[in-house]
Amino acid sequence: MALAVVQETCTAGLSPPFGLKPEDYDMLIEMLRYRRPHGSRAEKRFINRFLMPLKPLVDDFGNLLVTVGDRPNVLWSSHTDTVHRQGGKQDIYLSDEGNLCVDKSSDCLGADCTTGVWLMVQMIKAGKEGLYIFHRGEECGCLGSGWLAANTPEVLKDIDIAIAFDRFGTKHVITHQAHGRCCSDDFAFALARQLGNEYHPDDTGVYTDTNEYISLVSECTNIAVGYYNQHSDLETQNIPHLSKLLPALLALDPTALPVVRDPSEYDGYYEASLYLDGLSSMEQLVRDNPDAVAELLRDYGIDSAGLIDEIFRLSGKVTW
């Protein structure tokens, strides 16, 4: 697999691949160069550069909200933080297959959730109707969305559909998060048909911001945006997939999506905000749910060897 380094813009010898507009491709590359732990200076610089020009409403937690249209019933969701351990900048590489990746001197690419942020910025620029929320602190436990749901739920009073851009792969429309239902099958099938490209309902979701809204919004989901091996230095972002997904989103007709699920009917899920409020510690959750935690780590691209390395780095010893 041949790699070519992507400089600050694609004008440095690389043409925008697979049909993306030059300025849109440039923006994606520049966004991915920011390593953005929650609350870092790099995250603040990222927000000031790419999101503040959209003139968002910034709530008391720091979530950024942009409304396009008159009382839209669709929420589009992403988050501004990444799992990088340190803030700063990184170089991005492009493979012959159209995958963006990062040198192993960095701990991850950060397509989770930079790709989602990029998609939402493109949709806002195109005038796609919806309530756009760029959440803060998702990687720390959905802090921004949990705060919004607990403190300003009226923001979501007109919202029937919440779609996050925070799933690995290229085919998933998530029906379950945190081991419970978040959207109806009718909705998921209808959304998958509009997205095309082999999208289909999938019940193996883990957790993202839209799960915080399942008791407030009828249909909450998360869709695959083309990254793989997230939260690791092997993370990649597939550009051909994005070149198909963006026009599908711009053409999507929310009025053709059935709103079926009753948000007042809990379907076996728990609300993570309860744990964030201190009713259960992180350590207790890991002890009580070892299989689920192991599955979550695998979904995030962390294998046994990587976990051993991280435990040893943090504590200086490993026991099992």
Side-chain angles (χ1 to χ4, degrees), residues 116-176:
V117 173
W118 178 85
L119 282 167
M120 287 172 45
V121 170
Q122 303 310 314
M123 293 165 70
I124 291 170
K125 288 165 53 180
K128 183 67 176 180
E129 185 171 292
L131 171 62
Y132 295 79
I133 303 184
F134 301 89
H135 294 98
R136 303 290 307 284
E138 191 272 352
E139 299 291 6
C140 303
C142 294
L143 300 183
S145 52
W147 183 93
L148 190 152
N151 293 277
T152 58
E154 65 276 6
V155 168
L156 306 176
K157 61 183 176 62
D158 296 320
I159 301 300
D160 298 314
I161 297 167
I163 299 175
F165 302 121
D166 194 19
R167 175 69 175 181
F168 70 88
T170 60
K171 301 177 182 179
H172 304 157
V173 175
I174 293 301
T175 59
H176 292 67

Side-chain angles (χ1 to χ4, degrees), residues 7-292:
Q7 304 295 338
E8 291 201 8
T9 71
C10 67
T11 58
L14 287 173
S15 299
F18 308 105
L20 290 183
K21 294 179 181 179
E23 61 272 22
D24 298 340
Y25 180 66
D26 284 351
M27 176 177 285
L28 177 60
I29 298 304
E30 277 299 288
M31 284 183 168
L32 284 168
R33 295 187 70 231
Y34 284 77
R35 300 157 50 95
R36 311 187 305 276
H38 174 57
S40 64
R41 285 181 291 178
E43 184 189 24
K44 183 177 180 180
R45 289 194 295 267
F46 175 91
I47 289 170
N48 287 338
R49 178 175 179 182
F50 297 108
L51 301 183
M52 293 311 294
L54 302 174
K55 298 185 178 357
L57 170 68
V58 182
D59 67 20
D60 288 342
F61 189 85
N63 300 306
L64 300 100
L65 294 78
V66 176
T67 302
V68 177
D70 181 23
R71 297 181 64 181
N73 77 324
V74 179
L75 161 65
W76 309 104
S77 168
S78 64
H79 59 86
T80 61
D81 59 326
T82 61
V83 297
H84 288 102
R85 289 189 285 269
Q86 294 181 333
K89 287 287 195 76
Q90 61 187 7
D91 288 328
I92 308 301
Y93 295 81
L94 177 67
S95 75
D96 289 342
E97 295 80 10
N99 294 314
L100 294 176
C101 51
V102 69
D103 187 90
K104 289 190 176 182
S105 61
S106 182
D107 42 328
C108 73
L109 175 64
D112 173 8
C113 187
T114 305
T115 300
V117 173
W118 178 85
L119 282 167
M120 287 172 45
V121 170
Q122 303 310 314
M123 293 165 70
I124 291 170
K125 288 165 53 180
K128 183 67 176 180
E129 185 171 292
L131 171 62
Y132 295 79
I133 303 184
F134 301 89
H135 294 98
R136 303 290 307 284
E138 191 272 352
E139 299 291 6
C140 303
C142 294
L143 300 183
S145 52
W147 183 93
L148 190 152
N151 293 277
T152 58
E154 65 276 6
V155 168
L156 306 176
K157 61 183 176 62
D158 296 320
I159 301 300
D160 298 314
I161 297 167
I163 299 175
F165 302 121
D166 194 19
R167 175 69 175 181
F168 70 88
T170 60
K171 301 177 182 179
H172 304 157
V173 175
I174 293 301
T175 59
H176 292 67
Q177 297 185 57
H179 304 287
R181 180 173 290 279
C182 57
C183 77
S184 66
D185 288 338
D186 289 346
F187 171 85
F189 277 111
L191 178 57
R193 283 194 295 270
Q194 288 206 48
L195 293 176
N197 300 316
E198 299 184 327
Y199 273 92
H200 58 79
D202 186 283
D203 64 0
T204 64
V206 182
Y207 201 84
T208 192
D209 290 303
T210 51
N211 194 74
E212 288 292 331
Y213 303 142
I214 51 179
S215 63
L216 301 170
V217 175
S218 293
E219 305 289 0
C220 297
T221 190
N222 187 15
I223 66 171
V225 297
Y227 60 70
Y228 289 92
N229 300 313
Q230 65 275 19
H231 295 197
S232 78
D233 58 12
L234 298 176
E235 184 179 9
T236 61
Q237 172 62 55
N238 184 259
I239 299 300
H241 181 73
L242 278 187
S243 70
K244 298 174 183 178
L245 178 58
L246 179 57
L249 291 170
L250 294 177
L252 192 145
D253 179 11
T255 66
L257 299 176
V259 177
V260 176
R261 179 182 163 273
D262 184 348
S264 68
E265 295 181 359
Y266 286 31
D267 186 21
Y269 56 76
Y270 64 83
E271 291 193 69
S273 58
L274 296 179
Y275 297 102
L276 297 176
D277 288 341
L279 299 185
S280 181
S281 70
M282 180 69 75
E283 292 80 4
Q284 188 65 48
L285 281 171
V286 173
R287 283 194 295 268
D288 290 349
N289 303 275
D291 293 340

